[in-house]
Structure formats: structure tokens, C-alpha cells
């Protein structure tokens, strides 16, 4: 059952088209991530769902019923903003209690206290409750922002890049906490980010947004293993996918400026872009192709090896540290069953 | 083990290690700063101090050359300010002096050969000033806040032009419009009424208040209110709970400016009021009246006139000072 559905939403700001014909649904109990680079229209999408912005065309449905006429207060959603939106004149406790003290809810103070205490416990900010928010650290502020959402049990949580202002370590721990909260309370979250790692690690499903259009909706596996186009292929995966221009020669595909020759897909295209994930390029002694090591980037658990072959450089990722040195000759193989083919416009070619 | 680590808590340091408190050059710089501030303060306070001293001088002391700094303080000035008096002849004075039922105020007047005939207009004028300035300030700040909020938050067709129009009401020098206003006020029957002056000061201050407050409200991120809207509040509730507390600084600053303008306004008050609604500024010089310049009375009148504004500004100083740091903290 879908919780929130967007139907052909279009939104313009004067001459800028922020969203164009956007449709997708978020199901009950789902962690849905909207992934896209800055300016793709992610914030605008959330603001339209919240009722803070009015779309020019299309409809927002909650449980199948249009809510386009409802005020934000009546939509029963919680919004975690990209910029901190804690009230500097109030204590942390009052910030957390603020949504519960809404005249709409008429909640008794005792229950407010109980809920605030519980949320503070979950987010481990109990010791901050009496503090004013102005002097909190970034991580603490972001916890309080999330806390202000989870004191309620709204239809859906809208989270606008809530982790992007934090340092890597904090981001990681909050990421785990959020997932934990979502799974234990089986709440519905629409989470917006430009960070592909966040999208891949946290989501049940991902919607990829590019320049106001939805390019692909699918599970993290779909997105990673069957990217709909080169944009999605390059957006997810780190280091980036190798994308090489190639052409068909009978049953094989010849990569331009490179000794690489690969099995061709069963289509009639003459020109291709071939996508090879770095983990599918494996330096092995009996590899089919050869090249020279142009650069190595040891990351501890793995090492990125830049292999130069002809006019192309392939990125390869190997576990642990490597003995390969810059300038070394190296043989490598490419997993043929894991190749991605795109037409010259960048759309995926399904070879079957 | 833990005690040896550099991060372990150490004994509290009970002397300051701040550079600006130990370096001799920093201490000298601070000393110079304090001296300069005190010197400037003294220069700024000389007129006020002199006025205060004059208010307590007798008539000969007030005009003495060279000016007296040490003198016998008297309340003569205040008595002249607050009463109407009649000059007595020598026989009348002798007669009066025989009476035993005189209060110290009557005696003070008598010592200058005068008898008190009744209270003066000054308290009423001061009250008029308080009413006119107070009410007009409340209206200009209140209306200004609502319009500033609307200009800041909603997309209003022709907002720029409207804002310029509002500002343009200030471009005409007041003296140019006093005569037409006088005629209009008389025709409308609001000449010499509190309402007339309140209306005028409100309109005059509104442009200023809209512009000043809009700047402050623009500084408050919209997300604050939007968060409140999403959390189940109406726009009006969000305004009251979020915008209002955060714009206190701006409201305080605007209040002080509007109040000072309305309080000090002289030209319009002189032209548009005569008696019933006359405010203090045009009436203080009229104490000049009976028998030569009453310097002490004028000084006493000015002193009384100064106090209400000082009280309000002092009461609001907490918000005014916070305004200075507010912008620096936000990121
Ligand atoms: N209030 C606005 N006025 C004008 N343009 C806007 C406004 N809000 C967003 N936009 C434009 O719409 C596009 C999408 O913005 P946004 O939804 O904020 O992107 P994202 O959150 O993905 O970075 C951008 O080009 C942005 O400049
Ligand atoms: Mg955004």
C-alpha cells in the first residue's frame, strides 16, 4: 500500500523548471531515498509534499487521496530541514516539545514529557535537554532536529540531507541510528541526499533525480547493477564506473584506443559506451589484457589501481594493499557477464 | 595511567592565561581605551550635567558670570515650572509674610516676591507628550511589523515599488507640508487633538519602521516558520511563537527610534496643537514668559522631558545590545 504518491508533478520558478513530470510512490514502512546532485529538485519535491510549495501541475496523494488543498499543518508529516531550524530562543526540551504543543494536538504535558524523554534517549541527547540550542555542536543540533521529528508519529518523515553538514564519523553513526529507528518503529521515511553511499546503505528503494526528472526508481541493487543510463551509472559507485566509447566488430566490441575486446550484446547498435565497474577489472597473472600501472591509491581495506592501456585508463579496485608499483606491467581480466552497455545517448541497452 | 595522559583533567587554573590579561602592551592598550572612553563620556555628558545643575540653581546663580559650579541648591526652578504665579507689590509681600499657613512652596515663591495662583500647564503637556508619543509609537511599530513581515515573506505584486512609495513619504521636508496639514486638520476638525498628532506621527514613522523591521525579519530564516507550519501551527501562531521572539531586537530598536522622533517633534506640534493636545517640546520655551528668562525653570522642564525617554531606552537596552551580536553568531 502506498503511503505517499506523486503524480506527474511539475514545478516552475519563473523560467527555471525545478521539477518536470515527477511521479513515484513511497510505500508504508519504507525507507525511500531520493538521490540526485545539487539543484536536481530534491528539496522542492519535499516542500511540495509538505505543502510548503504549490506545484504547477500534478497531484500529491496520501493513501490514494489527493491532499493538494491541505495546509502543511493538516498533512501530518514531519520535516527535517537541510539547514538547522532549531529555535535559538528555546531550550532543547522546548524545541523537542514544540510539535507536540501544537494547538492541533492538545496533548497533556505529562505525555509530552514522556515522549520528549523517549526521543532524547533514543538519540542520546538527554543530557542536553536544558541547554539553549545556540551553543550546541553541529552533530548535536542535527540530533535535536531529528528528535523534533521523531517525537511525533507522523504519516511520513521528510528528511532533507540531514547528515550532510556533519563530519564523516558522525554521519556514519547517525546513519546507523536512523536506520535502526526506522526499522524498529517501522516508520516511513523519504530521505533526500546527494551522497550515493547514504542512498545505497540506508534505502529500501532509491529514486534518482536529475535536473527535475526521475531517471530511475529501484532497489539499491537495481540502481547499482542495472543503471538506467550513464548518469545513474556514474552517480553510484565509488570509485566511478569506467565508461569507454566502443564499436561493434561482428561478435565483439572493440574499445576505442584500447586493446580491450569484449563480447557484444545481442543488439543492432554499432556504437556503444561500455561501463565496467572498477571491482570487475581484476589484475591477475593470466589476465587476458595487459597495461601499465599509472597510479595506485591505497585506502587500507582496498587499493585503487589506475591501469593505462592504449589511450584509456581503467580504474581497478583490489582488496587490501598491493605490491604493484607505478610503471609496472600488469595483466588483468574483465568479468564479461558484469558489463554495462549504453547507446550513444547514454541509455542502457538490455542485451537479451 | 589516565592521570598521565595529556587529555586527563588537571587542577583548575585559578589565574588567567589570556594574552590580553598578561601582556603589558595589551594592558597599556586597555588602559588607553578606558581613558578615551571616559573622556568622550565626559564631553558628551557636559550639556546634560550643566542642565541638571542649572535646574537646581537660583535665578542669580543661573546667570552668574563666571558660571558657578558650587552653589546653594534650590527648588525654585521646579516651582516656577510647575506653578502659575503673580508678582506682588511691596505691601502685599509684607502682608503675606505675616501669614503662618504658608507651605514651603509658597514661601519659596514669596522669597522672590510672588504668590502662587495655581498649577501650571507643564504636567498636562508632559502627559500629552507621553500619550501622543507612546500611542503613535505602538501603532507605527505594530503596523510596521505586520507590513514588514508581509513584504519579507509573501510575494507581493510590485513589492519594490510599494516599498519605494512608502519610503518616498519621507522625502518631503516637514516644513513644506505643515501649512497644508494645518488647513486640512482644521477642516477635518482634528486640529489640536491627540488623535491628530498620533495619526501624523504614526504615518510619519511608519515608513521608517517598515524598512527597519523588514531588514530584521529578512534575517530570520524562513525555515523556522516553515518548521512550525509543518509541526501543526497556523501562520499567525508561527508568527507569534517564532518570528516575534526572534525580532525583539529589531522591535526594540525601532521602538526607540520612533519614540525619540515622536517625543522630540517640534514643528508639527507647534502648528497643529494649541492647548488641549499641546505636547512638551513647543511649550518648554514658552516658560520663558513672565519677567525675564527663567533659566532654572527651562532646565527643570527639559530635565523632566528627558527622563521618560531615558527610562524606555534603558529598559530596552538588553534587546538593543543583543542586536549587536545577533548577526555574528548565526552561521
Ligand atoms: N524559491 C525558489 N525560487 C527560484 N528558484 C528556485 C527556488 N527554489 C528552488 N529553485 C530552483 O529549483 C531548482 C531545484 O532546487 P532544489 O529543489 O533546491 O534542488 P536540490 O534540493 O536538489 O539541491 C534549482 O535550480 C533551484 O535554483
Ligand atoms: Mg536541497
Amino acid at each position: 500500500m502506498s503511503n505517499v504518491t506523486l503524480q506527474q508533478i511539475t514545478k516552475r520558478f519563473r523560467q527555471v523548471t525545478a521539477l518536470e513530470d515527477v511521479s513515484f510512490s513511497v510505500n508504508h514502512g519504507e525507507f525511500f531515498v531520493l538521490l540526485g546532485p545539487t539543484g536536481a529538485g530534491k528539496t522542492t519535491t519535499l516542500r511540495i509534499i509538505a505543502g510548503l510549495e504549490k506545484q504547477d501541475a500534478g497531484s500529491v496523494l496520501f493513501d490514494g487521496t489527493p491532499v493538494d488543498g491541505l495546509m502543511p499543518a493538516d498533512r501530518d508529516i514531519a520535516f527535517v530541514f537541510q539547514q538547522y531550524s532549531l529555535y535559538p530562543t528555546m531550550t532543547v526540551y522546548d524545541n523537542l516539545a514544540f510539535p507536540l504543543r501544537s494547538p492541533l494536538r492538545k496533548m497533556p504535558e505529562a505525555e509530552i514529557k514522556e515522549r520528549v524523554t523517549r526521543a532524547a534517549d533514543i538519540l542520546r541527547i538527554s543530557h542536553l535537554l536544558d541547554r539553549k540550542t545556540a551553543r550546541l555542536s553541529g552533530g548535536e543540533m542535527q540530533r535535536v532536529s531529528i528528535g523534533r521529528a521523531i517525537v511525533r508519529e507522523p504519516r511520513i518523515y521528510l528528511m532533507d540531507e540531514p547528515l550532510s553538514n556533519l563530519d564523516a564519523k558522525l554521519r556514519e553513526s547517525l546513519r546507523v541510528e536512523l536506520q535502526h529507528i526506522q526499522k524498529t518503529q517501522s516508520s516511513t521515511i523519504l530521505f533526500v541526499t546527494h551522497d550515493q553511499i547514504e542512498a545505497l546503505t540506508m534505502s529500501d528503494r532509491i529514486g534518482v533525480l536529475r535536473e527535475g526528472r526521475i531517471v530511475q526508481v529501484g532497489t539499491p541493487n537495481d540502481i547499482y547493477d542495472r543503471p538506467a543510463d550513464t548518469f545513474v551509472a556514474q552517480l553510484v559507485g565509488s570509485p566511478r564506473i569506467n565508461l569507454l566509447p566502443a564499436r561493434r566488430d561482428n561478435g565483439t566490441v572493440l574499445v576505442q584506443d584500447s586493446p580491450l575486446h569484449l563480447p557484444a550484446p545481442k543488439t543492432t547498435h554499432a556504437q556503444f559506451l561500455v561501463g565496467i565497474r572498477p571491482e570487475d577489472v581484476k589484475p591477475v597473472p593470466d589476465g587476458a589484457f595487459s597495461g601499465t600501472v599509472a597510479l595506485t591509491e591505497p585506502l587500507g581495506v582496498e587499493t585503487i589501481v589506475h591501469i593505462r592501456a592504449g589511450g584509456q585508463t581503467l580504474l581497478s579496485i583490489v582488496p587490501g594493499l598491493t605490491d604493484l608499483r607505478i610503471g609496472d606491467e600488469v595483466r588483468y581480466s574483465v568479468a564479461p557477464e558484469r558489463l554495462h552497455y549504453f547507446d550513444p545517448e547514454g541509455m542502457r541497452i538490455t542485451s537479451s | 595511567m589516565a592521570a598521565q595522559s595529556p587529555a586527563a583533567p588537571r587542577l583548575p587554573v585559578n589565574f588567567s592565561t589570556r594574552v590580553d590579561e598578561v601582556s603589558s602592551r595589551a594592558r597599556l592598550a586597555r588602559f588607553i581605551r578606558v581613558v578615551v572612553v571616559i573622556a568622550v563620556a565626559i564631553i558628551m555628558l557636559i550639556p546634560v550635567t550643566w542642565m541638571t545643575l542649572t535646574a537646581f540653581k537660583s535665578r542669580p546663580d543661573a546667570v552668574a558670570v563666571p558660571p558657578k559650579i558650587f552653589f546653594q541648591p534650590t527648588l525654585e526652578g521646579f516651582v516656577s515650572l510647575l506653578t502659575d504665579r503673580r508678582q506682588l507689590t511691596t505691601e502685599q509681600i509684607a502682608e503675606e509674610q505675616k501669614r503662618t499657613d504658608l507651605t514651603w512652596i509658597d514661601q519659596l515663591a514669596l522669597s522672590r516676591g510672588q504668590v502662587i495662583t495655581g498649577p501650571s500647564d507643564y504636567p498636562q503637556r508632559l502627559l500629552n507628550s507621553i500619550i501622543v508619543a507612546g500611542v503613535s509609537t505602538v501603532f507605527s511599530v505594530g503596523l510596521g511589523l505586520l507590513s514588514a513581515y508581509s513584504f519579507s515573506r509573501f510575494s507581493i505584486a510590485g513589492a519594490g515599488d510599494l516599498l519605494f512609495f512608502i519610503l518616498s513619504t519621507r522625502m518631503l521636508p516637514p516644513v513644506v507640508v505643515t501649512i497644508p496639514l494645518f488647513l486640512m486638520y482644521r477642516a477635518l476638525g482634528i486640529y489640536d487633538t491627540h488623535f491628530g498628532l498620533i495619526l501624523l506621527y504614526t504615518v510619519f514613522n511608519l515608513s521608517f519602521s517598515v524598512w527597519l523591521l523588514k531588514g530584521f525579519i529578512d534575517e530570520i530564516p524562513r525555515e523556522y516558520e516553515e518548521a512550525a507550519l509543518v509541526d501543526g501551527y497556523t501562520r499567525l501562531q508561527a508568527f507569534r511563537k517564532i518570528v516575534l521572539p526572534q525580532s525583539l531586537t529589531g522591535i526594540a530598536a525601532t521602538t526607540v527610534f520612533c519614540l525619540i522622533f515622536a517625543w522630540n517633534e517640534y514643528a508639527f506640534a507647534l502648528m497643529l496643537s494649541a492647548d488641549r493636545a499641546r505636547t512638551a517640546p513647543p511649550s518648554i520655551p514658552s516658560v520663558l514668559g513672565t519677567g525675564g528668562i527663567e533659566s532654572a525653570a527651562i532646565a527643570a522642564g527639559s530635565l523632566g522631558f528627558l527622563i521618560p525617554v531615558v527610562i524606555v531606552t534603558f529598559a530596552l537596552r538588553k534587546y538593543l545590545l543583543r542586536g549587536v551580536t545577533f548577526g555574528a553568531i548565526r552561521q
Side-chain angles (χ1 to χ4, degrees):
Chain A
M1 177 68 192
S2 84
N3 180 326
V4 170
T5 304
L6 272 69
Q7 273 180 350
Q8 299 176 317
I9 299 283
T10 296
K11 173 73 190 173
R12 287 184 199 86
F13 295 104
R14 298 210 178 80
Q15 59 278 61
V16 183
T17 302
L19 294 176
E20 175 89 45
D21 201 17
V22 167
S23 304
F24 66 90
S25 310
V26 182
N27 298 324
H28 280 289
E30 188 175 36
F31 200 127
F32 190 100
V33 170
L34 204 52
L35 174 67
T38 304
K42 306 182 296 293
T43 301
T44 308
T45 309
L46 294 192
R47 292 175 58 86
I48 286 173
I49 297 173
L52 294 171
E53 209 85 66
K54 183 100 185 75
Q55 69 271 27
D56 296 312
S59 207
V60 179
L61 313 179
F62 287 0
D63 291 332
T65 321
V67 292
D68 302 311
L70 288 188
M71 297 299 289
D74 301 323
R75 294 194 180 196
D76 188 27
I77 41 149
F79 203 134
V80 179
F81 286 82
Q82 190 166 2
Q83 277 85 29
Y84 315 130
S85 51
L86 302 179
Y87 308 123
T89 51
M90 300 183 192
T91 62
V92 170
Y93 182 93
D94 288 333
N95 264 282
L96 292 174
F98 190 77
L100 303 175
R101 287 186 177 144
S102 149
L104 278 184
R105 276 177 263 281
K106 300 198 180 62
M107 192 177 283
E109 272 305 313
E111 190 183 345
I112 292 179
K113 186 168 169 130
E114 188 195 311
R115 287 199 185 209
V116 169
T117 315
R118 181 150 31 96
D121 260 357
I122 293 173
L123 290 167
R124 287 179 275 128
I125 46 174
S126 307
H127 58 294
L128 301 174
L129 286 176
D130 298 327
R131 296 255 295 269
K132 279 271 162 63
T133 58
R135 273 189 284 281
L136 298 183
S137 74
E140 290 166 341
M141 285 203 194
Q142 208 54 284
R143 274 162 204 267
V144 179
S145 301
I146 294 170
R148 214 172 56 189
I150 68 167
V151 287
R152 288 169 51 198
E153 280 147 18
R155 145 182 307 281
I156 187 170
Y157 298 93
L158 306 177
M159 302 194 175
D160 195 353
E161 313 207 17
L163 312 180
S164 63
N165 291 323
L166 307 177
D167 59 59
K169 220 168 167 182
L170 246 161
R171 195 180 313 174
E172 222 160 273
S173 73
L174 266 182
R175 203 161 74 198
V176 173
E177 276 170 46
L178 258 185
Q179 264 177 292
H180 181 73
I181 293 168
Q182 191 262 339
K183 288 291 171 257
T184 49
Q185 322 210 331
S186 57
S187 37
T188 313
I189 297 186
L190 174 50
F191 184 102
V192 153
T193 182
H194 65 262
D195 182 322
Q196 51 108 11
I197 308 252
E198 274 176 22
L200 291 175
T201 50
M202 297 203 287
S203 67
D204 295 318
R205 281 195 306 149
I206 298 174
V208 180
L209 202 57
R210 178 195 191 184
E211 291 170 10
R213 290 169 185 274
I214 289 280
V215 226
Q216 188 174 6
V217 177
T219 63
N221 281 347
D222 290 338
I223 302 283
Y224 192 79
D225 289 336
R226 286 174 293 283
D229 62 13
T230 50
F231 173 80
V232 179
Q234 288 179 295
L235 191 64
V236 294
S238 171
R240 274 194 177 192
I241 193 168
N242 297 292
L243 212 53
L244 309 163
R247 64 184 166 79
R248 175 193 295 274
D249 185 23
N250 287 329
T252 52
V253 164
L254 302 181
V255 174
Q256 201 177 303
D257 284 340
S258 161
L260 277 186
H261 47 87
L262 305 161
K266 301 184 188 69
T267 57
T268 55
H269 292 83
Q271 302 285 327
F272 301 96
L273 287 166
V274 182
I276 314 170
R277 294 268 179 215
E279 63 270 27
D280 298 330
V281 179
K282 296 197 173 77
V284 282
D286 55 347
F289 311 107
S290 76
T292 50
V293 175
L295 187 70
T296 59
E297 300 177 60
L299 303 174
V301 284
E302 56 196 20
T303 303
I304 304 169
V305 182
H306 298 236
I307 301 171
R308 185 130 195 104
Q312 304 282 6
T313 303
L314 281 180
L315 300 191
S316 162
I317 198 154
V318 297
L321 298 172
T322 174
D323 299 333
L324 293 170
R325 293 284 166 269
I326 294 175
D328 286 358
E329 282 291 317
V330 63
R331 296 202 71 80
Y332 58 95
S333 66
V334 172
E337 71 285 359
R338 308 225 350 126
L339 296 176
H340 305 270
Y341 294 100
F342 304 95
D343 67 20
E345 274 72 56
M347 300 310 292
R348 181 180 192 82
I349 296 169
T350 40
S351 56
S352 55
Chain B
M1 189 51 200
Q4 288 165 357
S5 101
R10 278 176 296 165
L11 284 174
V13 178
N14 60 1
F15 52 90
S16 177
T17 54
R18 279 171 47 180
V19 172
D20 58 345
E21 289 185 4
V22 290
S23 140
S24 61
R25 269 182 59 192
R27 278 159 72 172
L28 181 68
R30 199 173 56 182
F31 176 74
I32 292 173
R33 272 205 301 278
V34 168
V35 168
V36 168
V37 166
I38 289 175
V40 170
I42 287 174
I43 292 170
M44 302 296 264
L45 285 173
I46 281 177
V48 181
T49 314
W50 195 250
M51 187 177 83
T52 312
L53 291 179
T54 307
F56 291 96
K57 281 179 183 173
S58 66
R59 201 185 229 184
D61 284 346
V63 295
V65 180
K68 286 191 179 176
I69 295 181
F70 301 101
F71 56 91
Q72 180 71 40
T74 159
L75 288 174
E76 255 178 44
F78 289 90
V79 170
S80 321
L81 177 72
L82 297 171
T83 59
D84 280 340
R85 297 159 318 279
R86 183 160 47 80
Q87 199 68 39
L88 300 175
T89 60
T90 328
E91 305 89 77
Q92 283 171 321
I93 294 174
E95 203 167 304
E96 284 284 321
Q97 273 166 344
K98 291 192 199 108
R99 286 173 60 175
T100 52
D101 58 341
L102 291 178
T103 63
W104 63 270
I105 300 174
D106 290 317
Q107 280 165 359
L108 207 59
L110 193 59
S111 69
R112 292 175 54 189
Q114 296 176 331
V115 67
I116 290 166
T117 57
S120 76
D121 290 338
Y122 181 79
Q124 182 58 41
R125 302 274 146 91
L126 204 60
L127 186 65
N128 284 346
S129 264
I130 291 174
I131 292 172
V132 168
V135 175
S136 77
T137 301
V138 168
F139 276 115
S140 7
V141 175
L143 293 173
L145 188 65
L146 295 179
S147 356
Y149 179 76
S150 309
F151 275 119
S152 173
R153 290 301 194 252
F154 304 118
S155 60
I156 296 168
D161 297 332
L162 278 172
L163 279 169
F164 180 78
F165 168 73
I166 290 173
L167 189 66
S168 71
T169 58
R170 276 224 111 127
M171 292 181 183
L172 226 49
V175 281
V176 178
V177 290
T178 39
I179 304 290
L181 272 176
F182 170 72
L183 297 174
M184 280 192 270
Y185 266 49
R186 228 179 29 179
L188 289 171
I190 53 174
Y191 170 76
D192 196 23
T193 59
H194 290 118
F195 173 78
L197 286 181
I198 290 170
L199 180 70
L200 183 71
Y201 291 171
T202 303
V203 170
F204 202 79
N205 269 335
L206 198 55
S207 58
F208 175 74
S209 129
V210 169
W211 274 81
L212 196 66
L213 285 168
K214 181 171 178 297
F216 278 99
I217 293 178
D218 282 344
E219 285 286 299
I220 305 171
R222 279 161 185 261
E223 277 86 1
Y224 285 137
E225 287 151 84
E226 290 179 338
L229 291 184
V230 170
D231 283 341
Y233 292 80
T234 65
R235 189 162 278 277
L236 208 61
Q237 289 162 343
F239 175 79
R240 203 164 55 80
K241 292 203 183 262
I242 308 302
V243 181
L244 215 52
Q246 289 201 61
S247 43
L248 282 182
T249 302
I251 293 173
T254 314
T255 302
V256 168
F257 280 116
C258 287
L259 184 73
I260 288 175
F261 168 81
W263 188 254
N264 289 342
E265 206 287 322
Y266 177 82
F268 285 128
L270 188 66
M271 287 296 288
L272 301 179
S273 70
D275 178 45
R276 216 151 47 84
R278 172 140 290 190
T279 56
S283 51
I284 290 174
S286 70
V287 184
L288 289 177
T290 43
I293 299 171
E294 298 247 24
S295 302
I298 294 173
S302 305
L303 198 62
F305 182 66
L306 206 65
I307 287 167
V309 184
V310 172
I311 290 175
V312 170
T313 313
F314 198 71
L316 293 179
R317 77 195 184 288
K318 190 176 95 192
Y319 302 104
L320 292 173
L321 285 179
R322 206 172 56 184
V324 181
T325 54
F326 188 66
I329 292 170
R330 259 194 46 226
Q331 41 211 342

